[in-house]
Amino acid sequence: MARSFDDEELMAFADGAIEEPRFSDIAAAIEADPDLARRLELLAAGGEAARAVYGPLADRPVPDRLRRRVEATIAAAETVKVVPFRRLHSRPAWQPVTIAASVAVVLAAPAGYFFARTGEDFSIAAGEPLAPSLVAQLETVPSGAEAELGAATLQPIATFTDAAQNLCREFELDREVTTVAVACRSEDSWRVAIAIDAPPADDGYAPASSLAALDAFLDSIGAGPPMSPEEERRLLLSR
Amino acid sequence: MTTAIGPLLIEALPRLRRYALSLSRVSDVADELVQGACERALASAALDDEMRFDAWMFRIVRNLWYDRLRRLRTRGEELDVTVRDDLVAVEGEAVPERRMLLRRAAEAIDRLPEEQREVLLLVCVEGLSYRDAAEMLDLPIGTVMSRLARARKRVAEDIGAETGKVL
């Protein structure tokens, strides 16, 4: 009389999930018992059928749209993780600092070309009015969230006031490159205060170090600490 | 701090889509689940060291899917699955005899109770071990094994072991 094995054990045998000496016991029993062999065959065949039906689905190419969105999400996660650290530890709020020479250089460089590459109908340059499409987003999208602008993704990073109590927003625009910018609202119009193209790091993410110039700039305009989400919502809506 | 899981997510996309598609059966919904799962994964504090990365991601996809089903149900709605995107590989099979066999297998899998179907997909299609699947589903390993054995036996009895072997 052959020993009996339950379906779970036969299945584990079929899946190579049984170790010696049990493996040899089962193998010998199957050899000697056609019913057992038949049961094993069913268990194996059921698994193979599932693989045949669903396996090939992973061979299909991932749609560009999904891949791009996931890549943007990864880049955004990187930004969100870097910013609070930078804000909390590296820049003492309210402490006036002299403008570093490097910042003056950055300010003098037009940043419009960063945006011209996208082919989108918005340009941005320090000292210039902010494009209406960006204004609309900056007046509504909370920090930490993101908005799709054609092929680009806009991510407001933080909201704060400058020394003159103008409302300012730091934001990033992601496409092939990541551009970090600050725009401030005075009266009813938004102007770009600074725009920096963050060079990508080896892993494709903008490194926090590239934002050092931005920090120095923020100090120079007397930027306050980033607002709480509640405060931000109140100020963005009050207009 | 870098998001070390970024490259892992990109690499896992084809499998995450397959799994999401096997749950939702509709491409658009599957892609939303995958995108949502990537967002959750990136926002979460840390990778669960105890769990395989893919199993961890599958779990997030699965949670999102059941959340969605629940929301639809509360609103008294149902997902429109008149077009089954999860069977594109079956319908795309060039050899008519094989296509027919694949269809029968797909129908047999559809007839399984959901709890059996899902372990079948996780272990036999996604390649999780019994233990990985048990951890992912928060089930005892014995439960996973018995559901899986029942699912495999049922499908094979439904289509015939020979068909399963041919496939």
Side-chain angles (χ1 to χ4, degrees), chain A residues 37-119:
Chain A
R38 171 74 187 162
R39 280 170 56 209
L40 177 77
E41 204 171 277
L42 279 176
L43 289 163
E48 272 152 33
R51 228 173 347 266
V53 170
Y54 282 98
L57 288 182
D59 300 333
R60 299 184 313 156
V62 175
D64 280 351
R65 190 184 136 75
L66 176 66
R67 183 182 295 272
R68 274 203 311 273
R69 281 182 68 199
V70 170
E71 281 168 352
T73 308
I74 293 168
E78 182 70 2
T79 306
V80 170
K81 279 173 185 157
V82 165
V83 168
F85 179 82
R86 182 158 59 92
R87 288 277 181 270
L88 291 175
H89 302 289
S90 71
R91 188 166 60 82
W94 302 114
Q95 188 186 322
V97 193
T98 41
I99 306 176
S102 63
V103 178
V105 172
V106 171
L107 280 172
Y113 75 96
F114 300 130
F115 291 78
R117 283 187 218 156
T118 64

Side-chain angles (χ1 to χ4, degrees), chain A residues 97-114 124-128 180-184 191-197 213-221:
Chain A
V97 193
T98 41
I99 306 176
S102 63
V103 178
V105 172
V106 171
L107 280 172
Y113 75 96
F114 300 130
I124 182 170
E128 294 297 313
V180 188
V182 173
C184 296
R191 272 184 192 280
V192 180
I194 186 173
I196 304 167
D197 197 352
L214 181 72
D215 274 345
F217 169 76
L218 292 174
D219 285 331
S220 78
I221 62 166

Side-chain angles (χ1 to χ4, degrees), chain A residues 47-57, chain B residues 89-90 98 102 105 124-125 164 166-167:
Chain A
E48 272 152 33
R51 228 173 347 266
V53 170
Y54 282 98
L57 288 182
Chain B
V90 171
R98 193 175 148 83
L102 282 169
C124 295
V125 180
V166 170
L167 290 172

